[in-house]
């Protein structure tokens, strides 16, 4: 086996872990994929400069980390609607949006690499990704590599061109910031490990029939729904009922396809009636967070490129 082929095989074995690292850093699978692709190109271009004074893995992560840090210096913090705005006062059709680059988006699985089993699934929850985005980029990288990937301070120092003492100091500051952060998305995060299948089935049945009373009855009293890229989000059963009534014309006749997001969390892909009158087309990805077998928060990610990202069809039968 020649050196180039060996290099490619080594990089392929690291790719799932790299992708999950870049996703946590950047909050977007599109940005993560771009960073991993650019890392691959730079590894190939720089292979002759690899002096083996550190492991191949550390060297590759150093390249990926620098790419992520450069990208984050040029971008604003990604977030979730509930962390940026207060709940809607007037229930109207949502209109105001922020660009795709403003939002955290869900991710599919990163691959079947055995290393993935070592990566804590709870650190892929959307609320945790949102918390990470509150950290300065280098502190974010340190915390991910230490608390998620469980690297040693020495290995992190080699990766990020820091001293072990600087790594430990950055880690302490990052943990303190995470502990102090009071994001609404963290309060609304899943209190149950995952939704009960029966609750999901009742949600699907009520939504597909568009039985508003049955749908709203599934929510906690303080339950809410957000819809990135729209700034608007809804809280409370009364406002949810009003919103569903207002948007009945848009959602009636929808169907769901079950999927998983962010490390295997159950979710639902919503298809709505198309304008042509035949078949259903992609609309949003519903991520349902629950507490005591009631819906606490539905995050409906209205971003149709997500459907191809999750390997979903661009149309289904009615």
């Amino acid at each position: 086996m020649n050196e180039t082929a060996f290099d490619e095989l080594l990089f392929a074995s690291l790719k799932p872990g790299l992708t999950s690292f870049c996703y946590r850093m950047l909050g977007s699978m599109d940005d993560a994929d771009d960073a991993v692709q650019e890392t691959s190109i730079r590894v190939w271009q720089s292979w002759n400069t690899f002096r083996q004074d550190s492991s191949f893995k550390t060297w590759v992560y150093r390249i990926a980390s620098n790419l992520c840090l450069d990208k984050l210096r040029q971008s604003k913090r990604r977030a979730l609607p509930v962390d940026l705005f207060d709940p809607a006062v007037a229930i109207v059709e949502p209109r105001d949006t922020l660009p795709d680059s403003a939002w955290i988006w869900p991710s599919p699985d990163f691959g079947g690499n055995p290393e993935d089993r070592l990566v804590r699934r709870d650190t892929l929850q959307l609320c945790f990704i949102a918390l990470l985005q509150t950290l300065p980029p280098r502190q974010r990288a340190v915390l991910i590599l230490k608390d998620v990937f469980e690297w040693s301070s020495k290995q992190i120092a080699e990766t990020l061109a820091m001293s072990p003492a600087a790594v430990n100091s950055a880690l302490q500051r990052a943990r303190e910031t995470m502990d102090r952060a009071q994001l609404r998305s963290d309060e609304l995060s899943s209190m149950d490990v995952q939704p009960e299948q029966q609750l999901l089935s009742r949600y699907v049945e009520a939504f597909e029939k568009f039985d508003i009373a049955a749908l709203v009855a599934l929510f906690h009293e303080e339950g809410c729904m957000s819809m990135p890229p729209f700034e608007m989000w809804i809280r409370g059963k009364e406002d949810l009922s009003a919103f569903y009534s207002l948007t009945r014309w848009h959602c009636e006749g929808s169907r769901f396809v079950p999927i998983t997001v962010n490390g295997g969390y159950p979710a639902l892909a919503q298809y709505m009636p198309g304008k042509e009158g035949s078949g259903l087309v992609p609309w949003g990805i519903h991520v349902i967070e629950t507490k005591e077998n009631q819906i606490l928060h539905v995050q409906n990610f209205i971003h149709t490129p997500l459907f191809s990202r999750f390997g979903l069809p661009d149309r289904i039968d009615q």
Side-chain angles (χ1 to χ4, degrees):
M1 183 183 295
N2 61 41
E3 192 174 77
T4 301
F6 182 65
D7 170 31
E8 289 174 352
L9 285 173
L10 274 176
F11 187 85
S13 71
L14 295 177
K15 190 173 180 180
L18 272 177
T19 305
S20 67
F21 169 75
C22 292
Y23 172 68
R24 288 177 174 88
M25 284 290 292
L26 303 172
S28 159
M29 274 301 296
D30 286 342
D31 285 357
D33 279 349
D34 289 346
V36 172
Q37 178 64 25
E38 181 63 26
T39 299
S40 174
I41 293 169
R42 293 195 184 184
V43 166
W44 180 77
Q45 291 175 337
S46 308
W47 177 251
N48 290 334
T49 68
F50 175 45
R51 299 194 178 103
Q52 300 188 12
D53 52 353
S54 61
S55 70
F56 179 76
K57 179 177 178 179
T58 299
W59 181 61
V60 170
Y61 270 82
R62 183 183 306 153
I63 294 171
S65 298
N66 286 333
L67 282 166
C68 288
L69 293 173
D70 287 344
K71 187 171 185 63
L72 289 168
R73 290 188 192 102
Q74 303 167 20
S75 61
K76 295 182 179 179
R77 167 192 157 200
R78 288 181 179 267
L80 297 167
V82 296
D83 293 327
L84 295 181
F85 306 100
D86 288 330
V89 176
I91 303 305
V92 296
E93 289 185 29
R95 289 186 175 85
D96 295 334
T97 64
L98 292 179
D100 294 345
S101 60
W103 304 114
I104 292 166
W105 300 105
S107 76
D109 293 334
F110 301 112
N113 193 296
E115 182 180 338
D116 289 351
R117 290 196 292 269
L118 301 176
V119 179
R120 289 166 36 201
R121 178 175 159 182
D122 61 322
T123 65
L124 278 173
Q125 287 185 353
L126 289 161
C127 63
F128 186 81
I129 301 298
L131 278 170
L132 285 174
Q133 309 310 302
T134 65
L135 297 175
R138 192 167 292 273
Q139 288 183 28
R140 191 182 312 175
V142 168
L143 185 132
I144 293 168
L145 292 174
K146 184 68 172 181
D147 286 0
V148 178
F149 287 80
E150 298 181 351
W151 284 21
S152 68
S153 295
K154 180 177 182 295
Q155 189 177 8
I156 297 170
E158 292 174 353
T159 301
L160 299 179
M162 301 167 68
S163 69
V167 166
N168 291 333
S169 176
L171 179 64
Q172 181 179 350
R173 293 197 303 274
R175 286 172 175 168
E176 289 172 351
T177 299
M178 293 278 278
D179 288 342
R180 287 197 309 269
Q182 294 183 335
L183 296 184
R184 193 182 273 120
S185 60
D186 194 30
E187 296 174 11
L188 295 172
S189 67
S190 174
M191 301 300 180
D192 301 328
V193 175
Q194 62 182 30
E196 293 286 341
Q197 185 55 51
Q198 186 181 20
L199 179 61
L200 284 179
S201 297
R202 290 164 63 199
Y203 181 83
V204 169
E205 181 181 7
F207 200 104
E208 290 186 347
K209 290 181 177 178
F210 220 72
D211 182 339
I212 294 174
L215 188 58
V216 172
L218 300 176
F219 280 82
H220 186 276
E221 283 298 325
E222 292 298 312
C224 60
M225 176 179 60
S226 56
M227 304 156 287
F230 294 104
E231 300 174 3
M232 177 184 181
W233 62 279
I234 317 296
R235 182 168 65 187
K237 288 188 173 186
E238 184 177 342
D239 284 354
L240 285 166
S241 181
F243 183 79
Y244 284 130
S245 297
L246 186 67
T247 56
R248 174 187 287 277
W249 66 272
H250 180 79
C251 291
E252 199 166 26
S254 293
R255 295 290 181 270
F256 284 118
V257 174
I259 60 171
T260 59
V261 302
N262 290 58
Y265 194 88
L268 300 162
Q270 178 191 352
Y271 286 79
M272 58 170 283
K275 293 180 180 178
E276 297 83 2
S278 62
L280 303 173
V281 296
W283 177 244
I285 304 292
H286 294 224
V287 180
I288 300 172
E289 298 174 320
T290 62
K291 178 182 180 181
E292 297 171 355
N293 207 28
Q294 291 180 301
I295 295 173
L296 196 60
H297 187 196
V298 174
Q299 300 188 71
N300 182 7
F301 293 93
I302 302 171
H303 187 51
T304 53
L306 286 172
F307 282 69
S308 59
R309 166 74 63 188
F310 281 88
L312 292 162
D314 59 7
R315 183 178 295 269
I316 63 173
D317 295 333
Q318 286 181 301

